[in-house]
Amino acid sequence: MGPLPTNCYYYGESTTITTVKNFGLLLACAVLPLAGFAQSGSYTLTGKVGPSASTAKAYLRTVSAGAVKVDSADIKGGAFSFTGAIADPTKAMLLIDQRGVGMRKLSSAQSVSFYLEPGTISIVSPDSALHAVVSGTKLNADNEKLKAAAKPSADKMAALMQEYQKATDEQRKSAEFNNSIEKRYNEIENEQKKVWSQFIKSTPKSLVSLDAIKSVGGSVPDYADVAPLFASLSDEVKATKAGVEYAAMLTKLKATAIGEIAPAFTQADTLGNPVSLSDFKGKYVLVDFWASWCGPCRQENPNVVKNFQQYKDKNFTVLGVSLDRPNAKESWLKAIHKDGLAWTQVSDLKFWDNDVAKLYGVRAIPQNFLIGPDGKILAKNVRGEELGKKLGELLQAKP
């Protein structure tokens, strides 16, 4: 086994982030609007941290309608404050620059994720952002409760991440080492999911639980895992804008669950000719979502090529759907040629707004859907060795 698999993610800001199998690196990278759970109103955010340079600053980062907004405040005597008005509760990020080096040089250890909502919010630490405690409003109280419950597994994940990062190149080439890391990662991830699930069931009236469901699901949620948890939320949470949006996502997720008929689509190939999924009826087809700019996708491509070559004469093919950017057709074509992708490729060159990606609820790549001759989805996100094993099960005995 090689390095742990990675993905590129969409966060609603036309940005992508690459992470090592989540591996604790998502941290507070995304700032997602929660929408209308409470009435709009003014907020006051006060903070207190340990010794700071005279040039120290605090930065408040929020997102509204897809636009990133950053406010700043000087830190004097370790104290700072922000005031403003907000229409809806929002998950925000506070970055603390105690040395005055500038926001772009700050690491995740110097940030605090919290809920910005009407009222007075306090963020206090004896030293740095790493040990900050958030209080003052209901959502933040709920969030601190969840963080405390999740801390043991979060600490284990951080330690595992550190072990992997400190490993030598020789260790990372070892199948035994990588298998051990992945096994322990999966065990810790399961622990985390149990904590999140327990919190959701015990706190159904909090928007924090809706975010916890997103954590359970990860970048590629399974309908069977998240739908029952969403059903357990209060009607009030479900009726929020965020709740309605998540319900819509679940509808798409159910439509692409294993055993369902794959949603039909048509998109242009590299020559501009329309290609439909129905053109492949009667074949096993791997609908492969990727992009030329996606490093993890390009790393997975040799594995897809190997399996395509092995099974292309056994009623199997691949249909690539690229999420390349507008005006980037040349990059798309070069990647196809360089990676030796000898199967049909389609794209509307709309980046994350690709119509097929939206139809299939794809917000992380690489992703794939293995569809049978009858049009039903047989498997999802089979990558690496799993792809070869699955195709072998289905096609090895085929003439």
Side-chain angles (χ1 to χ4, degrees), residues 84-142:
I86 191 166
D88 302 301
T90 299
K91 199 168 186 182
M93 183 189 294
L94 179 73
L95 297 103
I96 301 175
D97 182 9
Q98 288 173 279
R99 295 181 296 141
V101 297
M103 191 180 82
R104 293 187 179 279
K105 294 184 179 180
L106 301 180
S107 70
S108 59
Q110 294 160 298
S111 68
V112 183
S113 180
F114 70 103
Y115 288 84
L116 189 62
E117 59 180 324
T120 300
I121 304 164
S122 174
I123 298 181
V124 178
S125 173
D127 42 43
S128 64
L130 193 62
H131 301 112
V133 175
V134 185
S135 61
T137 59
K138 182 64 169 65
L139 288 180
N140 283 302
D142 289 343

Side-chain angles (χ1 to χ4, degrees), residues 21 111-112 116 150 156 214 261 263 287 358:
K21 198 175 181 180
S111 68
V112 183
L116 189 62
K156 289 181 186 178
K214 296 174 184 177
I261 295 293
V287 178
K358 290 194 291 185

Side-chain angles (χ1 to χ4, degrees), residues 34 36 51 72 96 98 117 136 173 186 230 258 327-328 358 370:
L34 289 173
S72 65
I96 301 175
Q98 288 173 279
E117 59 180 324
K173 292 177 183 177
N186 290 333
F230 182 75
I258 292 173
N327 303 315
K358 290 194 291 185
L370 181 59

Side-chain angles (χ1 to χ4, degrees), residues 13 23 67 84 88 121 142 153 175 204 212 214 262 304 319 351-352 367:
E13 301 171 30
F23 224 52
D88 302 301
I121 304 164
D142 289 343
S153 55
K214 296 174 184 177
V304 182
L319 174 58
F351 198 28
W352 288 109
Q367 271 199 69

Side-chain angles (χ1 to χ4, degrees), residues 190-309:
N190 287 333
E191 285 183 27
Q192 291 179 319
K193 287 183 177 182
K194 286 180 181 178
V195 171
W196 293 326
S197 297
Q198 288 169 358
F199 177 86
I200 294 161
K201 292 171 183 176
S202 66
T203 321
K205 296 182 179 181
S206 176
L207 271 173
V208 178
S209 290
L210 180 56
D211 275 346
I213 293 175
K214 296 174 184 177
S215 295
V216 171
S219 62
V220 187
D222 188 314
Y223 181 83
D225 291 337
V226 296
L229 293 173
F230 182 75
S232 72
L233 295 180
S234 70
D235 291 341
E236 188 178 15
V237 173
K238 292 176 187 175
T240 65
K241 182 180 177 183
V244 171
E245 289 174 351
Y246 196 80
M249 186 279 293
L250 283 178
T251 299
K252 289 184 178 180
L253 199 60
K254 184 178 182 181
T256 57
I258 292 173
E260 297 293 328
I261 295 293
F265 63 85
T266 300
Q267 203 155 87
D269 65 12
T270 56
L271 297 176
N273 299 316
V275 175
S276 299
L277 179 61
S278 59
D279 297 340
F280 300 87
K281 192 169 184 180
K283 283 181 171 287
Y284 290 90
V285 57
L286 185 76
V287 178
D288 184 38
F289 291 88
W290 73 294
S292 66
W293 49 259
C294 171
C297 303
R298 304 293 295 275
Q299 292 169 16
E300 176 66 11
N301 276 345
N303 181 56
V304 182
V305 169
K306 181 183 74 172
N307 283 284
F308 173 74
Q309 293 297 336

